[in-house]
Amino acid sequence: MKIVVVGGTGLIGSQVSALLREGGHEVVQAAPSTGVDTLTGEGLAAALKGADVVVDVSNSPSFDTEPALDFFTRSARNLFAAEKEAGVRHHVALSIVGVDQVPGYGYYEAKVAQENAVRGSGVPYSIVRATQFFEFVAPVMNMSTEGTEVRLPSTRLRPIASADVAAAVAEAAQGEPSNGIRDVAGPEVHGLDRLGEITLALKPDGRTVVTDETAGLFAGMPDVLTGDGGAHLASTRYEEWLKRA
């Protein structure tokens, strides 16, 4: 098949593209750096010509409500107009486990708007919802650092390796549209503060973790970020991944 990966040069997109090429597919990595801009529509028609599947793993450059909402909704409008013109038969979107159960968090509300656009597009679809990536832990720690203290809440997560997310997205892209949602998650539940402790135990840098339920992006999050009993659990453990990273 010809498969267009929107956001194809990023963390997930580059891995999805490699897996799909290994599967024998023609892959177009669509991103502003390759001349394809979903916000303006530039390059979309040419990239999607003859495409069977579109995989959207693009991400907003901002976590703030308005910019994120604008990014996901405007991109969706341009994408689906181009997909219908090209006769695309399957749209695969990457989203977040529990995204529709976190009221008041603007970025998640923007992702819900994106999911709604996918469902209402008229293009057969599959939505893969993933938990937070292992690669996200270090940046969250850095954003929550005050001097030598890393202030993190005990919010429960079931984080997952980006490689395992990419594998799930690539699998969906090579299958038939589900017109539904599949949750994927890592094998273990940890508090975010515990993830920080594990990180600094294996890679000490002079900082220590202080549990602070009011600190950072995940403060006050409801207990919905671990996936339910129906989530597919990947095998890669955080400590194993961190030792290799």
Side-chain angles (χ1 to χ4, degrees):
M1 295 182 291
K2 178 179 177 179
I3 304 177
V4 178
V5 182
V6 180
T9 60
L11 174 65
I12 301 296
S14 58
Q15 296 178 83
V16 171
S17 297
L19 290 170
L20 293 174
R21 287 195 177 104
E22 289 172 10
H25 304 286
E26 176 190 352
V27 177
V28 175
Q29 290 174 270
S33 62
T34 65
V36 182
D37 190 334
T38 56
L39 278 179
T40 65
E42 179 185 359
L44 269 179
L48 267 60
K49 186 176 181 180
D52 301 288
V53 181
V54 169
V55 175
D56 185 5
V57 292
S58 62
N59 197 15
S60 166
S62 172
F63 285 109
D64 293 335
T65 304
E66 291 305 319
L69 186 62
D70 178 65
F71 177 87
F72 287 121
T73 55
R74 188 146 49 108
S75 292
R77 284 196 299 271
N78 290 332
L79 255 181
F80 287 120
E83 288 181 27
K84 289 176 181 177
E85 184 68 25
V88 170
R89 59 180 181 81
H90 188 187
H91 180 97
V92 179
L94 178 60
S95 191
I96 305 167
V97 164
V99 71
D100 54 351
Q101 300 176 62
V102 188
Y105 186 21
Y107 178 80
Y108 276 39
E109 291 175 352
K111 288 294 290 184
V112 169
Q114 181 192 32
E115 286 192 3
N116 290 338
V118 170
R119 293 187 189 92
S121 68
V123 177
Y125 69 90
S126 301
I127 296 173
V128 177
R129 284 182 176 176
T131 52
Q132 285 66 39
F133 307 156
F134 290 164
E135 288 86 348
F136 196 44
V137 174
V140 167
M141 290 174 64
N142 292 338
M143 285 187 286
S144 301
T145 295
E146 298 177 6
T148 60
E149 293 183 345
V150 186
R151 309 190 73 84
L152 297 169
S154 61
T155 306
R156 295 168 73 248
L157 309 175
R158 192 189 288 271
I160 185 171
S162 67
D164 291 333
V165 177
V169 172
E171 180 183 358
Q174 295 172 93
E176 293 300 314
S178 68
N179 293 315
I181 294 169
R182 185 191 190 204
D183 285 357
V184 295
E188 298 174 309
V189 176
H190 290 295
L192 182 56
D193 52 351
R194 178 58 185 151
L195 287 168
E197 291 170 350
I198 293 169
T199 303
L200 294 178
L202 287 172
K203 297 182 181 293
D205 60 10
R207 293 182 294 173
T208 58
V209 172
V210 175
T211 301
D212 181 347
E213 303 299 353
T214 67
L217 291 174
F218 292 92
M221 282 274 194
D223 192 15
V224 297
L225 304 181
T226 58
D228 59 23
H232 169 78
L233 302 185
S235 60
T236 309
R237 296 174 59 248
Y238 181 65
E239 289 178 73
E240 295 168 350
W241 174 85
L242 195 60
K243 289 173 182 176
R244 297 196 305 264

